[in-house]
Amino acid sequence: MSEEFPFVGASDAVIQAATETEELPMFKEFAWDFDEDTFLYDKSGNHILLEGAEAIKTWVYKALSTERYTYLAYSWQYGIEIKPFIGLVMGVEERISELKRMITECLMVNPYILSIDSITFNQEGRKATVEVSMTTVYGEVNA
């Protein structure tokens, strides 16, 4: 199972072979309730499975919410390194630049994401959010 993380239904060998031939299998990810931070289930209690661009959006959210090197279930390429960044003394522009670099590094491990087009930060009080526009094999995606 660990060789399938963070991708559902495609092992590293399948992704590597598909990348070499330019044909990736349909990207699949379990649906996620972003407000409750938990999986979504259908009326029968089964996981809801997303495909394509919607699955990419869920993967992005989960990758940016997972601290890299913390969980044994994920490979060392999955997640983002935020903990070493907390408490560093740096200017606002330097902080934004470093966060953009970390986000790009986190997301570009996914072979379905072709490029990161823009990263926008919004702040309301003490809460900051990020919006990422990217080009994927399924077209433009905003997450």
Side-chain angles (χ1 to χ4, degrees), residues 82-95:
I82 293 291
K83 283 186 181 178
F85 187 66
I86 296 172
L88 284 178
V89 178
M90 57 177 66
V92 174
E93 292 300 317
E94 184 181 8
R95 185 178 302 270

Side-chain angles (χ1 to χ4, degrees), residues 20-119:
E20 292 170 1
T21 64
E22 303 281 332
E23 293 179 28
L24 292 168
M26 176 61 73
F27 188 78
K28 298 178 182 180
E29 184 65 71
F30 293 118
W32 194 257
D33 182 338
F34 300 107
D35 295 327
E36 297 294 324
D37 208 25
T38 187
F39 289 107
L40 288 175
Y41 300 95
D42 63 15
K43 293 178 183 177
S44 302
N46 298 317
H47 285 281
I48 298 171
L49 194 60
L50 302 174
E51 293 183 345
E54 288 303 312
I56 296 276
K57 289 179 186 179
T58 300
W59 184 89
V60 166
Y61 174 82
K62 289 167 63 178
L64 291 176
S65 300
T66 303
E67 183 68 25
R68 186 179 284 176
Y69 309 123
T70 301
Y71 303 99
L72 295 176
Y74 301 113
S75 74
W76 281 22
Q77 288 90 23
Y78 184 75
I80 190 166
E81 296 176 69
I82 293 291
K83 283 186 181 178
F85 187 66
I86 296 172
L88 284 178
V89 178
M90 57 177 66
V92 174
E93 292 300 317
E94 184 181 8
R95 185 178 302 270
I96 289 172
S97 175
E98 187 65 11
L99 280 170
K100 286 182 178 182
R101 182 193 64 78
M102 294 166 112
I103 290 168
T104 301
E105 182 180 295
C106 170
L107 300 180
M108 290 306 296
V109 300
N110 188 324
Y112 293 82
I113 298 174
L114 304 176
S115 68
I116 305 298
D117 302 324
S118 70
I119 299 172

Side-chain angles (χ1 to χ4, degrees), residues 116-130:
I116 305 298
D117 302 324
S118 70
I119 299 172
T120 308
F121 296 97
N122 301 309
Q123 186 171 356
E124 293 179 24
R126 294 182 55 126
K127 182 179 180 180
T129 58
V130 63

